């Protein structure tokens, strides 16, 4: 698999007229080499695959990164890079990943070369998932569904948001997750109007909406799931908002087809929410791609022109957030198929009442 991926990268380099690609993004390094660390660089030329890392990782790199020449770096990145790129002219780098300090080292080392941003290459390559990746993500989604069911069964009025976030993480880890795919959102009552309200010390009260948005890191892949539940009997307005978000979410799921652009998909849900008069309270995109990272491209958003293809894994997550009142979001993960989508998330979307 990695050989095929690397061959595809080289093909892109050739199309763009670049001589090499210097990679710093850890997910990209893992995707191309299998190497898992906190500190490494890949340098792909037309003839060599180099993995640059320091003493701590040498043995691990040799075991994980098959087909790569492991190059030791000891605070001499400039020297090593200069040597490896001696006869090369145009080098692609990842402008959205490297730091200013790293950039300064790179331009010093590559003073005779031209640098160009090449971050689109891996971004595009990773969009359509391979069968094995889809299988792993399926597992990540399955344990996320299970963790939700387990934790929902134990939530009571008086619990703190932070305790719920911790219980979600434990439930995921007990099922094989290595960690969280992002900082969990557990937002109750008025806080549920914060689309990204991470768990706080607030205690749950009767009558409140509670939004849970969380996911696993499982064998390096991410999952993402949101449900909004109600603590006790819903007020008419809570029920109304829930129904609108659900209607928008189901309509989007039914509409997605390969060949649509990200903005066309987004518009399906947005129109429904707008027609009910809540358009201004749905201020984020409808969804995003998920893979080794929690937010990948393409997106479902008002500006996304990219066409949706089979094999992409996306979230569909409309929401309505009313400041000072609260909010509702419902999120599933889907696999884009030839004719539409397969909804991977199995968790119920009935308005769950916790009493
Ligand atoms: Mn999401």
């Amino acid at each position: 698999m990695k050989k095929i991926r690397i061959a595809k990268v080289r093909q892109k380099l050739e199309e763009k007229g670049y001589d090499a690609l210097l990679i710093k993004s850890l997910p990209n390094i893992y995707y191309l080499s299998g190497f898992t660390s906190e500190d490494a660089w890949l340098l792909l030329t037309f003839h060599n695959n180099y993995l640059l890392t320091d003493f701590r990782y040498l043995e691990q790199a040799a075991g994980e990164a098959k087909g790569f020449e492991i190059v030791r770096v000891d605070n001499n990145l400039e020297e090593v890079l200069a040597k490896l790129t001696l006869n090369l002219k145009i080098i692609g780098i990842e402008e959205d990943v490297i730091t200013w300090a790293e950039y300064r080292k790179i331009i010093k080392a590559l003073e005779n070369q031209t640098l160009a941003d090449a971050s689109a290459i891996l971004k595009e390559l990773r969009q359509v998932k391979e069968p094995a990746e889809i299988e792993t993500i399926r597992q990540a989604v399955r344990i996320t569904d299970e963790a939700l069911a387990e934790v929902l069964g134990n939530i009571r009025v008086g619990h703190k948001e932070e305790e719920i976030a911790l219980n979600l993480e434990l439930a995921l880890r007990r099922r094989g997750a290595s960690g969280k795919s992002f900082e969990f959102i557990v937002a109750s009552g008025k806080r549920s109007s914060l689309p990204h309200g991470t768990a706080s010390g607030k205690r749950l009260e009767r009558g409140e909406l509670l939004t849970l948005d969380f996911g696993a890191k499982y064998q390096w892949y991410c999952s993402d799931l949101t449900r909004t539940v109600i603590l006790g009997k819903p007020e008419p307005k809570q029920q109304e908002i829930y129904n609108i978000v659900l209607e928008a979410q189901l309509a989007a799921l039914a509409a997605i087809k390969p060949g649509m652009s990200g903005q066309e998909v987004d518009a399906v849900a947005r129109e429904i929410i707008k027609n009910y008069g809540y358009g201004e309270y749905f201020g984020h995109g409808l969804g995003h791609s998920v893979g080794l990272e929690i937010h990948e491209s393409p997106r479902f958003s008002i500006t996304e022109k990219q066409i949706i293809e089979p094999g992409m894994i996306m979230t569909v997550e409309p929401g309505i957030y009313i400041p000072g009142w609260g909010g509702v979001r419902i999120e599933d993960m889907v696999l884009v198929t030839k004719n539409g989508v397969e909804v991977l998330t199995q968790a119920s979307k009935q308005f769950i009442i916790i009493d």
Side-chain angles (χ1 to χ4, degrees):
M1 269 314 174
K2 307 223 165 54
K3 269 192 185 159
I4 297 171
R5 293 172 184 173
I6 290 169
K8 286 182 178 169
V9 170
R10 289 213 165 95
Q11 200 184 323
K12 294 264 185 195
L13 288 175
E14 203 170 355
E15 284 167 23
K16 290 175 186 286
Y18 299 167
D19 299 301
L21 179 59
L22 181 62
I23 298 171
K24 179 70 214 227
S25 143
L26 298 175
N28 285 345
I29 290 174
Y30 174 73
Y31 187 76
L32 293 174
S33 73
F35 182 52
T36 58
S37 83
E38 293 299 316
D39 199 6
W41 297 81
L42 287 193
L43 179 70
L44 295 182
T45 69
F46 278 95
H47 304 290
N48 295 88
N49 306 330
Y50 298 110
L51 191 160
L52 284 55
T53 192
D54 64 74
F55 173 77
R56 296 169 298 168
Y57 295 109
L58 291 177
E59 186 181 350
Q60 185 192 333
E64 287 179 344
K66 300 288 179 218
F68 278 77
E69 189 177 322
I70 313 299
V71 182
R72 180 172 171 175
V73 178
D74 296 302
N75 291 318
N76 60 343
L77 180 68
E78 294 101 313
E79 200 186 308
V80 171
L81 278 180
K83 217 165 114 188
L84 296 178
T85 57
L86 208 53
N87 298 314
L88 307 175
K89 290 193 185 77
I90 306 179
I91 316 247
I93 58 169
E94 300 171 306
E95 68 170 12
D96 53 350
V97 177
I98 56 175
T99 64
W100 175 244
E102 287 163 351
Y103 181 70
R104 284 171 36 150
K105 281 185 191 176
I106 292 169
I107 50 171
K108 216 163 131 195
L110 308 180
E111 55 184 354
N112 298 319
Q113 282 89 350
T114 304
L115 299 179
D117 176 45
S119 42
I121 293 179
L122 266 295
K123 236 174 239 172
E124 281 167 25
L125 201 57
R126 281 170 46 192
Q127 286 182 345
V128 172
K129 271 60 183 176
E130 296 157 1
E133 293 183 287
I134 293 170
E135 207 34 59
T136 304
I137 293 172
R138 262 184 214 287
Q139 301 294 327
V141 171
R142 186 179 53 76
I143 65 169
T144 308
D145 280 336
E146 288 176 9
L148 178 70
E150 179 189 310
V151 170
L152 278 183
N154 295 321
I155 291 177
R156 298 289 178 270
V157 165
H159 289 182
K160 281 185 190 171
E161 292 173 355
E162 285 161 344
E163 297 172 44
I164 298 166
L166 178 61
N167 288 337
L168 286 168
E169 186 177 350
L170 289 171
L172 289 172
R173 283 180 177 267
R174 275 197 295 271
R175 290 171 173 80
S178 62
K180 309 190 270 193
S181 53
F182 57 94
E183 198 56 45
F184 293 172
I185 292 159
V186 179
S188 61
K190 287 178 186 169
R191 292 192 78 250
S192 61
S193 69
L194 307 171
H196 272 201
T198 49
S200 76
K202 180 187 169 301
R203 290 182 189 278
L204 309 184
E205 291 175 41
R206 190 159 301 282
E208 286 183 333
L209 291 167
L210 170 64
T211 297
L212 307 166
D213 183 356
F214 70 107
K217 260 263 154 103
Y218 179 80
Q219 294 178 11
W220 305 100
Y221 284 82
C222 296
S223 63
D224 198 358
L225 168 64
T226 307
R227 288 293 181 267
T228 302
V229 302
I230 177 82
L231 301 156
K233 203 172 147 332
E235 298 284 333
K237 173 134 185 196
Q238 291 168 328
Q239 184 73 59
E240 180 207 344
I241 299 290
Y242 191 90
N243 291 348
I244 296 168
V245 173
L246 182 57
E247 186 183 329
Q249 209 255 359
L250 294 174
L253 291 178
I256 302 169
K257 280 188 177 51
M260 287 173 88
S261 69
Q263 58 189 171
E264 284 175 311
V265 174
D266 179 273
V268 174
R270 200 166 299 281
E271 276 307 305
I272 291 170
I273 291 173
K274 248 187 218 168
N275 287 341
Y276 281 104
Y278 292 100
E280 63 176 302
Y281 302 110
F282 175 28
H284 59 71
L286 178 66
H288 54 90
S289 199
V290 183
L292 289 170
E293 289 171 282
I294 186 67
H295 296 123
E296 300 190 349
S297 69
R299 309 253 169 173
F300 293 145
S301 77
I302 52 171
T303 54
E304 181 63 88
K305 303 262 192 293
Q306 213 196 309
I307 302 299
I308 303 310
E309 293 174 46
M312 289 179 172
I313 291 189
M314 309 288 301
T315 70
V316 178
E317 48 178 313
I320 293 177
Y321 314 92
I322 304 173
W325 180 80
V328 171
R329 178 169 62 254
I330 301 171
E331 174 183 35
D332 287 335
M333 279 176 64
V334 304
L335 167 65
V336 181
T337 62
K338 267 191 265 174
N339 309 312
V341 295
E342 178 191 339
V343 181
L344 301 178
T345 306
Q346 297 295 313
S348 167
K349 283 186 280 203
Q350 278 187 355
F351 199 15
I352 297 168
I353 297 174
I354 294 176
D355 226 346

